[in-house]
Amino acid sequence: MKIDFSKNNGLIPVIIQNNETKQVLMLGYMNEEALQKTQKENVVTFFSRSKNRLWTKGESSANFLKVISIKEDCDQDALLIQVIPDGPTCHNGTTSCFANEAQISFLNELENIIDDRISNPNSESYVASLFQKGINKIAQKVGEEAVELIIEAKDNDQDLFLGEAADLLFHYLILLKAKGLCLNDVEKVLESRVKIRE
């Protein structure tokens, strides 16, 4: 990788993207030293223009950005770094520094919550309890929620309909997890179908 640091006073823009959800998390800047430190430690380090020094994201919050891949653009003067974040990326406590992106990613956050409930089960967790009952019970629950949604679709109570839609989607996410899959896998299938029809 040969990056052109000659522009912009030795700094290059760096886009940070969640490797799993593909959500854009933030934009930062690196000088050559920050890039070398990032490559060596596999944790994102920027050059802070306000502090005028190297700044490892998460050094105060512990919300580090673990590097999965680093790609340069066609002009070799910007980077795309795909990461696994340890927590919220924005200093405001949101997943992303871009408000609309944060809203879009809620389902991905919900997947992470479901994963955590399954990985760290406790007696009060509905998700953990359902997951422990096995794939047949989870699939049955998805079927029940689908029927309830269909019933509400025949009436005109929008709140009840949305409630049932949320219940179905929630249990569907649990079913995907039970099958070792996630929403991103479903998105890929849908994207491939769109390409076929174009």
Side-chain angles (χ1 to χ4, degrees):
M1 180 182 298
K2 188 176 181 181
I3 302 300
D4 183 3
F5 286 96
S6 64
K7 304 173 185 177
N8 301 318
N9 298 317
L11 297 178
I12 58 169
V14 180
I15 299 167
I16 303 298
Q17 180 184 43
N18 187 308
N19 184 65
E20 295 179 346
T21 67
K22 308 309 177 188
Q23 179 186 17
V24 175
L25 301 178
M26 68 175 292
L27 171 71
Y29 292 86
M30 286 184 180
N31 60 8
E32 192 167 2
E33 186 180 3
L35 176 58
Q36 290 173 352
K37 190 173 191 306
T38 296
Q39 291 173 313
K40 180 180 179 181
E41 299 179 358
N42 285 321
V43 174
V44 175
T45 292
F46 296 106
F47 180 82
S48 171
R49 294 171 296 168
S50 59
K51 300 173 184 176
N52 197 35
R53 65 169 176 85
L54 295 187
W55 165 61
T56 299
K57 179 71 178 78
E59 64 185 29
S60 57
S61 66
N63 295 331
F64 297 102
L65 299 171
K66 298 176 181 176
V67 176
I68 301 300
S69 68
I70 301 176
K71 301 171 185 175
E72 71 266 38
D73 75 340
C74 57
D75 293 322
Q76 297 179 311
D77 59 4
L79 291 175
L80 171 66
I81 300 184
Q82 294 181 311
V83 303
I84 299 296
D86 278 340
T89 299
C90 184
H91 69 281
N92 290 324
T94 56
T95 301
S96 168
C97 293
F98 300 94
N100 290 337
E101 286 288 323
Q103 292 171 6
I104 291 170
S105 76
F106 174 73
L107 289 178
N108 299 118
E109 290 184 30
L110 184 56
E111 282 187 308
N112 291 335
I113 292 170
I114 290 171
D115 187 53
D116 180 66
R117 297 290 191 275
I118 292 168
S119 301
N120 304 290
N122 64 67
S123 58
E124 298 179 355
S125 171
Y126 170 78
V127 172
S129 173
L130 179 59
F131 194 81
Q132 289 171 356
K133 292 176 182 176
I135 190 73
N136 289 341
K137 186 63 178 178
I138 298 169
Q140 178 186 337
K141 189 65 178 171
V142 171
E144 291 171 1
E145 297 297 343
V147 170
E148 290 175 11
L149 179 64
I150 292 168
I151 292 170
E152 288 302 332
K154 295 176 179 294
D155 294 327
N156 294 318
D157 191 321
Q158 185 171 326
D159 289 337
L160 287 177
F161 175 77
L162 286 174
E164 295 299 342
D167 288 344
L168 175 58
L169 184 53
F170 176 70
H171 288 88
Y172 172 62
L173 292 177
I174 298 174
L175 181 61
L176 282 176
K177 176 63 182 177
K179 297 294 292 182
L181 300 168
C182 65
L183 274 178
N184 193 42
D185 297 309
V186 179
E187 288 175 5
K188 289 176 182 176
V189 174
L190 291 172
E191 287 173 358
S192 69
R193 291 178 179 177
V194 169
K195 290 175 183 176
I196 290 171
R197 289 176 171 81
E198 286 179 347

